[in-house]
Amino acid sequence: MGEIRIIGGQWKRSKLPVPDAPGLRPTSDRVRETLFNWLGQTLTGWRVLDAFAGSGALGFEAASREAGEVVLIERDAKLVAGLRASVQRLKATTMTVYASDALVWMKSAPRAGFDLVMLDPPFAADLFDAALAAAMPLVGEGGLIYVEAPREIAAPAGFSVLRQGRAGAVHYHLLRREDNPAP
């Protein structure tokens, strides 16, 4: 088992365990630092969804930066147990972990309920298009979707690419909703 460190906010330098699990690829320190430089160092009051949470690195970074609510979705029971243990250890009262398939969960989540949805599905599963389609209704006008993928992706209708970058084989994108979401 490995570990990663939270890089900013109230839990800066706190360690998160990273169990050995097929397809688990925690977002690197460099990419997380870039993302949170783009977003701003504080996310006070934001509602954040970390779908395909895995190690929880993205969600814990958001919570560490004062997000008002962070929801982590993970279907692997071993990873869910690890996420719940980290939430308890850090006394992360604004975080909730759900043991669920992220695509199924997002399809039943309230529309326009999140300020930021973070998508980092397992690369081998090729869920990027389905995950993006499921996430789009979850953010309101001006809301953001962060996506990691093995290739560059185009912004879907109603969204624009706010920022994008690449670190090795990982392409990362920050998309902003431009239109009014359908009711």
Side-chain angles (χ1 to χ4, degrees):
M1 179 180 302
E3 62 185 24
I4 57 172
R5 291 182 189 269
I6 297 173
I7 58 172
Q10 67 179 329
W11 300 319
K12 185 176 182 175
R13 295 186 194 91
S14 295
K15 296 176 183 177
L16 297 175
V18 179
D20 294 326
L24 184 62
R25 182 194 36 76
T27 301
S28 72
D29 288 1
R30 176 181 160 205
V31 172
R32 281 184 286 131
E33 184 173 8
T34 299
L35 171 62
F36 286 94
N37 284 338
W38 292 348
L39 295 172
Q41 294 302 311
T42 59
L43 306 180
T44 304
W46 286 33
R47 293 194 71 228
V48 177
L49 171 62
D50 183 359
F52 309 96
S55 70
L58 292 171
F60 279 97
E61 288 288 353
S64 185
R65 290 158 161 59
E66 302 177 15
E69 179 183 3
V70 178
V71 175
L72 296 106
I73 309 299
E74 177 54 55
R75 70 178 184 184
D76 182 289
K78 182 178 176 182
L79 297 176
V80 168
L83 292 169
R84 288 181 173 152
S86 293
V87 165
Q88 187 174 25
R89 181 176 49 82
L90 294 171
K91 297 176 178 61
T93 59
T94 62
M95 298 184 77
T96 307
V97 179
Y98 291 100
S100 179
D101 178 278
L103 295 176
V104 171
W105 192 93
M106 287 191 288
K107 288 176 184 172
S108 64
R111 296 176 68 83
F114 292 94
D115 300 295
L116 171 64
V117 174
M118 298 183 286
L119 304 173
D120 183 11
F123 281 13
D126 196 25
L127 299 172
F128 308 100
D129 294 335
L132 192 53
M136 288 168 49
L138 302 184
V139 296
E141 187 173 358
L144 302 168
I145 298 176
Y146 171 74
V147 184
E148 286 187 25
R151 57 180 160 74
E152 192 171 316
I153 62 167
F159 285 79
S160 63
V161 176
L162 189 61
R163 294 284 189 84
Q164 63 185 7
R166 182 177 177 187
V170 177
H171 293 261
Y172 49 100
H173 314 76
L174 187 60
L175 311 175
R176 174 181 281 151
R177 182 165 209 126
E178 302 293 346
D179 64 346
N180 291 313

